[in-house]
Amino acid sequence: MNLAELTTFRVGGPADTVTEAPTREALAEFCAAHPLQAGGPRPDVLFVAGGSNLLIGDAGFSGPVCLIRSTGVQMHEVTPDERLLTVEAGENWDAFVADTLARGLTGLEALSGIPGTVGATPVQNVGAYGAEVAESIESVLVFDRMSGDELRLDRTDLEFGYRTSRLKRTAANTGAVQFVVLAVTFRLGVSRLSAPVRYTQLARALEVDLGEQVDTREVREAVLALRASKGMVLDDADHDTWSAGSFFTNPILPADAALPADAPVYPVTDPVTGARDPRLVKTSAAWLIDRAGFGRGFGLGERATLSQKHTLALTNRGDARAADILELARHVRAGVREAYGITLEPEPNLIGCSLDA
């Protein structure tokens, strides 16, 4: 199988051994059969679900590949005003978000339109338009490939941060996936009103003030429209969506970092406690890229370019290879570093390739 068929970038070489896991039990069985061993190859196994956060090298992947295809949602009443929903890892994320709104639940509406599956969301602490999944996650059921045990990790155990978690950091530190998400449990409110709107662009689209609440369905429609305008809603006919979404994360810097006076600056807060960290600030990767001279549609050739709609997305214009995406990413990152002394970090997982190679 060609792994390009499994990713939204539509690049990547072949895989020799591919196993489909249609249920939680099948996924756990695969993990048990492929334990993480000290001194083994890194990465040893590749797990693929929605493929929206992967850039796979042109040589492909020589180890076992597991396709996570488990689905299902179970809802339990906690109080008249709260529900717990346990969702299988392979469930489509946006379909699940839409389902929560149909059930009269609030909390995930601002995260509409994000491609991928439910199991990937806690790894990245997926977020958009002022919301992050860390705010709604109650716990995550994982398979620990090191110990061979199933573990339930609560919000504190997961150690969420901006676009990261204990799950992601552990994988980065070991060079392989130790904790495989089997299911995620969310705690959501019962209401047709959204969470308070916390993102200026979204507030403008809704024509409300920051902090106001509106119908959850209105928020979803506005978010989907905003994402589509940036090429962030998957569309086979639109090459601006042949990407992994935002390729670079917004840099988090010391509060006294030397930034241009007109650079956007945002507070850094704990996604669980909401406490602001006065030592840190966040700035916009898209702003840095644009001001460093890389506008929409910029490319080193015709096969891979920045999106025509959004400078933060690197895109496959139809016949790109992973090497083309990597060359463009390195060029943009070097330009931003030269202009501002800031090294951008990639958001997708790079498999069999590197920006430093």
Side-chain angles (χ1 to χ4, degrees), residues 268-294:
V268 175
T269 60
D270 185 299
V272 177
T273 67
R276 179 174 179 174
D277 189 337
R279 301 168 299 174
L280 301 172
V281 295
K282 182 167 61 177
T283 191
S284 167
W287 188 93
L288 294 171
I289 290 168
D290 185 65
R291 296 305 176 91
F294 308 110

Side-chain angles (χ1 to χ4, degrees), residues 8 113 115 129 223-235 238-246 296 307-315 317:
T8 54
Y129 297 103
V223 167
L224 289 174
L226 286 170
R227 291 186 65 86
S229 72
K230 301 174 184 179
M232 296 294 186
V233 176
L234 296 181
D235 180 352
D238 183 359
H239 285 286
D240 280 334
T241 74
W242 290 31
S243 74
S246 298
R296 299 175 186 178
S307 167
Q308 300 285 346
K309 304 180 181 71
H310 188 31
T311 57
L312 199 48
L314 278 65
T315 67
R317 306 317 296 182

Side-chain angles (χ1 to χ4, degrees), residues 172-194:
N173 291 337
T174 62
V177 176
Q178 177 178 344
F179 300 109
V180 178
V181 175
L182 301 177
V184 185
T185 298
F186 297 86
R187 182 182 290 266
L188 301 177
V190 179
S191 177
R192 289 291 183 186
L193 287 178
S194 69

Side-chain angles (χ1 to χ4, degrees), residues 6 17 34 47 56 79 83 88 93 113 127 146 177 189 191 198 209 231 254 264 289 294 341 345 352:
L6 302 176
T17 306
H34 298 84
F47 294 91
I56 301 174
T79 71
R83 301 288 186 272
E88 300 303 314
W93 171 256
M146 191 76 75
V177 176
S191 177
R198 292 179 291 186
D209 293 328
I289 290 168
F294 308 110
E345 296 296 333

